[in-house]
Each structure stands twice: as C-alpha cells, then as structure tokens.
Amino acid sequence: MSVRPILIAGDPRLTTPAVPVTAFDDELAAFIDDLFDTNTAAEGAGLAANQIGDPRAVFVYDLVDDGQRHRGHVVNPVLETSPIPETMPDPDDLEGCLSVPDEWFPTGRAHWAKVTGVDMTGRPLTVEATGYLARCLQHETDHLTGRLYLERLIGRNKREARRMIKDRQWTRPGNSWLPGTDSRTSPS
C-alpha cells in the first residue's frame, strides 16, 4: 500500500473516459488500498483511479455525512440521479476536488444519487444516497467519464475557474501533487 501522486487539472488522463475493470484479482485489491491510502493522505472525500493516472473504472469514498461515516469503493460504476439543477447554485454550495487543489466553486448537483457496480471481487453492489455522499458519488463517477467538476460550473463561476486555471498554468499535462508532502510538481 502506498500514497500516489494526484494529477492536476490540465492532464489529459483526467479527461479520458475510464475503461471497465475485467480482472478481479489481488492486484486490483492492492490498487484499491492505494486509492484509499492516497485519499486519506490527501484528506479527500473520494478519489477516482484516473486521478492517479490509472485508466480503470474504479473509485473510493470515505467521508462523514450527517454524523455517519461512509467508506467504500465501486468498480465499473453506473450513475443514476434525481434532476440536476440548471440554475446558479447557492454560493455556499461549494465543491472541491483533489485534482483542483485549494479551489472551491459553487456547483449544482442532484439531491439524490445511486451508483450500481461491483466490488473488488466482482460482487454486485449499490450505493444510494442524498446530501454530501450523493455529491461525492456524482463527482467521482464524473471523473471516470472524463469530466472534472469545473465543467459543471455556470456563469461567473465558470469564468472564474477558467481564469484560475490560466493563472495557475494548469493548461499542460504532467502537473501533480503528492499528498502528505503538500508539494505540487510540474513536468520537467
């Protein structure tokens, strides 16, 4: 088990749709452990495989919502949601991302979400939620479709995010950071 570098917006691996997992073996179990270790070190709510450069369709989550801890993983997730609001989100309805470090933007999400998929052994599973866990399920599933939450922003929030990406020079591949060290690295 190890902590791996997290890719930062601008890397094409974050916008490439994931490939379905077909091998349910010890290597997959070890990889999921690495996802959990990396997410924990980064103090994240969830982490998708492509955020650490792996193309497989798998994500982990570990968060507290309404005083209850939710921890798990989903392989080959399929998302279903209630309607997603199309109006400007509440300014306090902030969302962040480990691949967009230190930035938070108001983001509209569906109130309810359900993800179906399988666990690391190939057994079917379903995770259904409202609130923060529902947001996390949508966020991580978006990653696996090649979509960062920044693409869901509208209006002034979208303009501010574009400006931030340009100012931080996140327009080229290879930027990453290693949780636990707080070091952001650039390609050489």
Side-chain angles (χ1 to χ4, degrees):
M1 295 185 290
S2 63
V3 174
R4 300 195 190 187
I6 297 175
L7 300 177
I8 295 176
D11 193 294
R13 291 171 286 182
L14 292 170
T15 57
T16 302
V19 296
V21 173
T22 57
F24 298 88
D25 53 17
D26 290 343
E27 191 280 329
L28 177 63
F31 175 69
I32 290 171
D33 284 342
D34 286 355
L35 283 172
F36 275 118
D37 288 347
T38 304
N39 186 61
T40 299
E43 300 178 6
L47 184 67
N50 61 343
Q51 289 182 270
I52 61 171
D54 190 289
R56 290 177 282 188
V58 58
F59 71 81
V60 299
Y61 58 93
D62 190 353
L63 57 92
V64 175
D65 188 15
D66 286 334
Q68 182 178 357
R69 185 176 185 198
H70 302 274
R71 186 176 195 275
H73 68 278
V74 183
V75 178
N76 299 334
V78 176
L79 177 68
E80 181 182 342
T81 69
S82 58
I84 297 172
E86 295 181 18
T87 58
M88 280 297 281
D90 184 304
D92 295 326
D93 196 11
L94 296 175
E95 188 165 323
C97 178
L98 296 175
S99 289
V100 186
D102 305 323
E103 297 292 338
W104 297 82
F105 291 98
T107 309
R109 290 286 186 180
H111 173 72
W112 169 87
K114 178 171 78 171
V115 171
T116 55
V118 295
D119 69 11
M120 70 177 74
T121 66
R123 284 187 298 236
L125 63 80
T126 300
V127 182
E128 187 173 348
T130 58
Y132 187 37
L133 179 56
R135 176 181 292 276
C136 180
L137 296 174
Q138 294 169 76
H139 182 106
E140 300 310 325
T141 305
D142 270 358
H143 272 299
L144 297 177
T145 65
R147 187 175 195 179
L148 288 172
Y149 89 103
L150 299 176
E151 294 178 48
R152 292 205 175 269
L153 302 179
I154 59 175
R156 66 182 171 275
N157 299 319
K158 185 175 206 146
R159 289 188 297 278
E160 187 179 331
R162 284 184 181 149
R163 219 175 357 263
M164 176 274 302
I165 286 173
K166 184 178 177 185
D167 290 348
R168 288 185 172 228
Q169 299 179 356
W170 288 349
T171 55
R172 55 197 164 104
N175 292 325
S176 66
W177 68 283
L178 184 62
T181 66
D182 273 340
S183 70
R184 287 8 181 221
T185 60
S186 299
S188 43

